[in-house]
Amino acid sequence: VAVTGENGSGKTILINHFLRNIKQKVKVGHIEKIDSSVDSFTKLICQKFDLDVEGKTSMGMLDFFHAFLLKQYEINERVVIIIDDAHNLKSEAMEELWMISNLESESFHLIQVILVGKPEFEYLLRRKDLQKFAQRITMRCNLENLSMDETGQYIKHRLKEAGAANPDILDEEAAKAVYQYSNGNPHLINILCDTALVDGFADNQEKIGRAMIENVTDGKKEEGILPPTGKSKEVGASSSTTQSSDQLSSGGMPADIEERIIRLESLTSSIDNKLDILLKRKGGQDRTVVELNKMLMESLKRHGNTLKQFRSFREQVNK
């Protein structure tokens, strides 16, 4: 089985859900990161099942693993290998994995392999030298981003699961803004909503509107979590007449850099003020305030480091 999707699309959540809810007896070997320094992929898989294959040849390890699979089959226990970051698999590793997937009894497949990776894994499978490997994949699933309606439903679901008395804390326009800036990516939806809820709590807001999401989005762009947006220069425009980010400020540095520094300083000050508010409203909510305090401090630290880099750059430019 091949499961593909962009970062934050929910691949790991899907796999964990599968493992929690499967009814059969299953022994799982989960390879979470592909280590390029591993000289034998078969050895790595054996180690995931606590099999001692030290000193064995490649064929010896394969035979040993086959005997393990037969034993698990006899006790009616399925064996599953889950490989994350499958798009990073080398040709040699795929060759070994193909040989392992061919291990079977006379009438039953002894092992289930689940390959999880980015969409480029599908392009990898189209290579001619990997044709026989691709033929072993009988089911493929690509996790698409959520639609606008699904984004709204997802936000309400998460709020309900978290125990929110009112699942409509984010109004309709706020949900639309979250979809617009996250493009329906669940991970980015989580980040925007989490930050908006923290800011809303600090500002004593009963509802989260579009303006709050816009403000949060600006901060996440500064942190590099969301891609920056802006007008690009028109093709063929003269460098002497085009008003763009290349224009220098009076300080001798790009105007957009100067603007970013000002926005960072403002955002840092805002976070600092919200932190003070949270600490003053501490009574009876110690645990919640501690967690929010921690989140705000981490955000403040990130902004502070970025601000230092910008200031250093400004000093170098002005020299």
Side-chain angles (χ1 to χ4, degrees):
V1 175
V3 179
T4 55
E6 297 289 353
N7 288 337
S9 61
K11 301 185 293 295
T12 301
I13 291 175
L14 180 62
I15 294 301
N16 289 337
H17 178 77
F18 159 70
L19 293 175
R20 282 196 306 268
N21 291 278
I22 194 168
K23 304 299 182 183
Q24 299 165 281
K25 292 172 61 180
V26 174
K27 190 178 287 292
V28 178
H30 191 181
I31 300 176
E32 299 182 56
K33 186 178 180 180
I34 306 298
D35 190 347
S36 58
S37 65
V38 174
D39 57 348
S40 171
F41 200 70
T42 305
K43 181 178 180 180
L44 177 60
I45 289 175
C46 287
Q47 289 173 341
K48 289 295 178 179
F49 291 99
D50 297 322
L51 302 177
D52 185 8
V53 291
E54 201 64 42
K56 294 183 181 294
T57 63
S58 295
M59 290 308 300
M61 286 188 284
L62 197 63
D63 290 341
F64 192 70
F65 189 63
H66 191 198
F68 163 76
L69 294 177
L70 288 171
K71 182 178 180 180
Q72 299 308 123
Y73 176 58
E74 288 173 4
I75 62 175
N76 196 32
E77 187 161 85
R78 297 292 301 274
V79 176
V80 176
I81 297 175
I82 300 175
I83 302 174
D84 277 333
D85 291 338
H87 51 276
N88 289 330
L89 283 170
K90 304 296 183 183
S91 299
E92 296 81 3
M94 285 190 168
E95 181 69 26
E96 292 183 59
L97 196 55
W98 174 77
M99 295 175 67
I100 290 172
S101 68
N102 279 332
L103 298 176
E104 51 189 48
S105 65
E106 293 181 358
S107 58
F108 194 82
H109 290 290
L110 299 175
I111 190 168
Q112 174 73 63
V113 180
I114 301 176
L115 300 150
V116 185
K118 294 181 180 180
E120 49 261 40
F121 180 61
E122 284 290 344
Y123 294 99
L124 187 64
L125 294 175
R126 295 175 189 174
R127 282 172 37 181
K128 190 172 182 180
D129 60 320
L130 297 176
Q131 187 175 24
K132 62 180 181 180
F133 180 87
Q135 290 172 352
R136 299 295 299 176
I137 299 176
T138 57
M139 185 178 295
R140 302 185 183 192
C141 172
N142 183 57
L143 301 181
E144 302 285 351
N145 283 349
L146 304 180
S147 66
M148 186 166 68
D149 288 341
E150 289 170 338
T151 297
Q153 294 169 19
Y154 175 70
I155 293 171
K156 290 182 179 180
H157 170 74
R158 290 293 299 257
L159 287 168
K160 182 180 178 181
E161 289 297 311
N166 176 18
D168 295 314
I169 296 174
L170 276 77
D171 64 27
E172 187 176 343
E173 285 303 310
K176 287 180 180 178
V178 170
Y179 170 73
Q180 175 185 342
Y181 292 110
S182 69
N183 196 31
N185 182 284
H187 182 60
L188 294 180
I189 294 172
N190 293 347
I191 290 174
L192 292 177
C193 290
D194 284 348
T195 309
L197 288 170
V198 172
D199 287 359
F201 176 79
D203 290 344
N204 202 24
Q205 298 291 316
E206 294 292 332
K207 282 262 191 179
I208 302 297
R210 185 180 185 92
M212 178 69 76
I213 300 300
E214 298 274 3
N215 185 51
V216 166
T217 301
D218 288 341
K220 296 307 175 185
K221 287 176 182 176
E222 297 291 356
E223 293 174 19
I225 295 174
L226 290 176
T229 55
K231 296 180 180 180
S232 57
K233 291 189 292 185
E234 294 182 4
V235 177
S238 169
S239 60
S240 60
T241 58
T242 302
Q243 298 296 318
S244 71
S245 62
D246 291 334
Q247 183 178 4
L248 296 181
S249 68
S250 58
M253 62 185 302
D256 67 328
I257 299 295
E258 186 75 28
E259 182 184 350
R260 288 189 182 190
I261 291 175
I262 295 171
R263 290 174 65 186
L264 271 173
E265 290 173 337
S266 174
L267 191 57
T268 301
S269 176
S270 173
I271 291 174
D272 203 16
N273 290 336
K274 288 174 181 177
L275 184 57
D276 289 336
I277 294 171
L278 285 174
L279 292 174
K280 291 176 182 177
R281 295 172 55 198
K282 180 179 174 182
Q285 303 180 55
D286 287 353
R287 185 175 178 181
T288 302
V289 171
V290 167
E291 289 301 318
L292 293 170
N293 183 5
K294 182 179 177 182
M295 291 174 66
L296 284 170
M297 287 300 291
E298 289 175 351
S299 181
L300 185 61
K301 183 178 179 181
R302 287 196 300 270
H303 283 93
N305 290 337
T306 306
L307 189 57
K308 287 179 182 177
Q309 292 176 7
F310 274 123
R311 283 173 173 164
S312 175
F313 174 74
R314 178 167 58 183
E315 289 172 0
Q316 292 177 15
V317 171
N318 291 337
K319 285 181 180 179

